[in-house]
Amino acid sequence: MDLTIDISRLWGELETLAAYSDAPAPAVTRVLYTEVDRGARSYLKELFAQAGLAVREDALGNTFARWQGTEADLTPVASGSHIDAIPHSGRFDGTVGVLGALEAFRALTAADFAPRRSIDLILFTAEEPTRFGLGCLGSKALAGVLSPSALRALRDDEGKSPDQARREAGFGGQLEEVALPDGHYHAFVELHIEQGPLLERDGVAIGVVEAIAAPATLRLTLRGEGGHAGAVLMPQRKDALTAGAEITLAVEAAAKGSGSTDSVATVGILDVHPRAVNSIPSEVVLTADVRDIDLERRDRMVAQIREAATRVVSARGIELGLEVINADDPARCAPEVIAAVRDAATAAGVSSTPLISRAYHDASFMARICPTGMIFIPCRGGVSHRPDEYVSPAALEAGVRVLARTLARLAG
């Protein structure tokens, strides 16, 4: 099959989408249900309509653009990703999987390919945890991992629930109708930037993802005793920040001591009260992200962090509150989708290698309801979630070409 990828058109669409931002270029900030998010969604729906796709939205804002297959009774295939962007990030994370899938549809159409199975392009609602503190909001709800009652209990910084915010953004309907049944899709494949350095380092065009790590997110609240930084002598101190510093090192040590390079752990938030140079910190809230593709190993790290925190606060006379915000299972990609991606790369004449995804993706939850896979393309320096995030046109073209061939196999 001879495919023509219009990389100039795709590149221009990525640039236009990046302009829907609350941060000045080259940074992108696009938060769920905000005015810029709604504008970006409208732009994409126009593109979907121009491509002849039938568009529907669910109550949470997950958007489905369907290319109708020739055999309506067959279970459909799906591809897609997200367009929300954390504050001051880049323009390729997620968006490559949405606009890249659209370009794959157009290339297949131009090549006179007619899918037997319908193919849905899915724009997932809020893969990033920016607004409600929980990642993969839309795909978790689709997979039934996040219940309507749990959704309604979430709050943003202004105290709004997703239920209230989505209605203000124009999404009606019942949250109970969002979840899809097991087997709703024949297969799902997501195109994404690697967000790591391996493909670029090794000079490989395509990463064939075999497993996706999942995080456990811990919030630790440490309460000590404040006081004047000059007046309270060291033996009498109950400094919440020094306790937090010890626990931060314990988080790092848990990952380094796991015995596997697939183990990672990060303290990404450290809020200090009262945050004055001449005042002893009386309260610290520390948020840790712990990940691995092996569930038992990840949970062992979580247990080690819990034990270390308990030991530190006991020695320092600090009160500890520990809450597990989130703990999802890692996902394994389906052999048949892995094979389809690998064979598509071979047919497209580009190099490929098996990879592990250490970042979290909507594919993690689609894997709960259907055979799932991912296609990675290299990004410069492995940089992501920064304004200088960059993917070359050649890398993007190769990714779309492989995605198109993968979809043709899965849907044909």
Side-chain angles (χ1 to χ4, degrees):
M1 181 167 47
D2 186 22
L3 293 176
T4 299
I5 310 299
D6 191 337
I7 197 65
S8 296
R9 173 174 58 190
L10 176 55
W11 196 264
E13 290 167 351
L14 285 164
E15 288 185 334
T16 300
L17 183 58
Y20 290 92
S21 172
D22 280 321
V28 178
T29 299
R30 193 161 47 239
V31 179
L32 176 64
Y33 299 143
T34 59
E35 183 178 349
V36 295
D37 177 55
R38 297 195 300 271
R41 288 168 179 267
S42 294
Y43 169 63
L44 287 171
K45 285 187 286 187
E46 289 176 7
L47 294 181
F48 297 159
Q50 290 169 12
L53 306 177
V55 178
R56 76 171 182 89
E57 295 169 320
D58 68 18
L60 201 55
N62 291 307
T63 303
F64 306 81
R66 173 159 291 193
W67 182 6
Q68 188 65 48
T70 58
E71 299 184 32
D73 58 330
L74 293 179
T75 307
V77 168
S79 185
S81 195
H82 66 99
I83 63 164
D84 61 312
I86 68 168
H88 301 281
S89 60
R91 60 190 173 106
F92 298 99
D93 177 12
T95 59
V96 161
V98 177
L99 285 168
L102 177 61
E103 182 58 29
F105 283 19
R106 293 184 294 213
L108 288 168
T109 299
D112 294 325
F113 173 78
R116 292 175 60 235
R117 300 178 185 272
S118 296
I119 311 177
D120 280 352
L121 196 173
I122 307 176
L123 165 55
F124 293 99
T125 284
E127 190 263 1
E128 306 290 2
T130 309
R131 182 161 188 180
F132 294 103
L134 190 65
C136 296
L137 205 70
S139 53
K140 281 181 176 176
L142 284 176
V145 175
L146 185 63
S147 68
S149 59
L151 263 171
R152 293 187 178 99
L154 296 174
R155 293 292 182 274
D156 65 10
D157 290 342
E158 297 178 353
K160 286 184 180 179
S161 70
D163 200 30
Q164 180 182 356
R166 58 126 183 160
R167 291 186 183 279
E168 291 176 356
F171 298 107
Q174 300 300 313
L175 293 177
E176 285 75 10
E177 297 174 357
V178 171
L180 301 174
D182 288 351
H184 180 81
Y185 285 114
H186 174 68
F188 172 82
V189 59
E190 181 174 2
L191 175 65
H192 208 282
I193 62 173
E194 181 192 358
Q195 299 179 289
L198 301 182
L199 291 174
E200 182 185 58
R201 184 197 68 186
D202 297 339
V204 178
I206 297 295
V208 184
V209 178
E210 295 185 336
I212 307 168
T217 306
L218 313 178
R219 180 182 295 138
L220 298 91
T221 302
L222 311 173
R223 296 184 180 88
E225 290 183 4
H228 195 288
V232 181
L233 301 181
M234 301 307 289
Q236 282 75 50
R237 293 196 178 195
K238 296 181 178 180
D239 187 326
L241 181 54
T242 51
E246 277 198 66
I247 293 169
T248 298
L249 292 174
V251 170
E252 180 185 57
K256 285 186 171 181
S258 77
S260 172
T261 56
D262 291 326
S263 303
V264 291
T266 308
V267 173
I269 300 175
L270 196 65
D271 292 328
V272 181
H273 180 80
R275 199 178 180 272
V277 68
N278 60 345
S279 181
I280 300 166
S282 59
E283 181 174 292
V284 164
V285 179
L286 178 156
T287 306
D289 179 298
V290 186
R291 302 185 188 219
D292 205 303
I293 60 167
D294 184 279
L295 181 60
E296 183 178 343
R297 194 165 53 222
R298 188 205 66 191
D299 288 348
R300 193 160 55 241
M301 286 192 288
V302 170
Q304 290 172 358
I305 292 166
R306 187 188 296 269
E307 291 168 6
T310 301
R311 185 172 61 251
V312 168
V313 298
S314 177
R316 290 181 169 273
I318 304 291
E319 294 180 13
L320 171 67
L322 193 153
E323 182 183 4
V324 178
I325 303 299
N326 183 62
D328 292 309
D329 292 353
R332 293 281 174 181
C333 294
E336 61 267 36
V337 183
I338 291 172
V341 174
R342 185 181 59 240
D343 293 349
T346 300
V350 297
S351 57
S352 68
T353 188
L355 276 186
I356 299 300
S357 174
R358 291 174 175 84
Y360 203 36
H361 300 287
D362 291 308
S364 304
F365 299 98
M366 293 303 288
R368 307 284 187 98
I369 59 173
C370 68
T372 292
M374 293 193 74
I375 300 168
F376 275 178
I377 57 174
C379 50
R380 186 173 61 193
V383 167
S384 184
H385 283 192
R386 284 173 19 188
D388 56 335
E389 178 181 272
Y390 179 78
V391 174
S392 72
L396 182 59
E397 195 273 345
V400 174
R401 187 175 297 277
V402 171
L403 175 62
R405 288 185 173 275
T406 302
L407 290 173
R409 173 162 163 175
L410 295 172

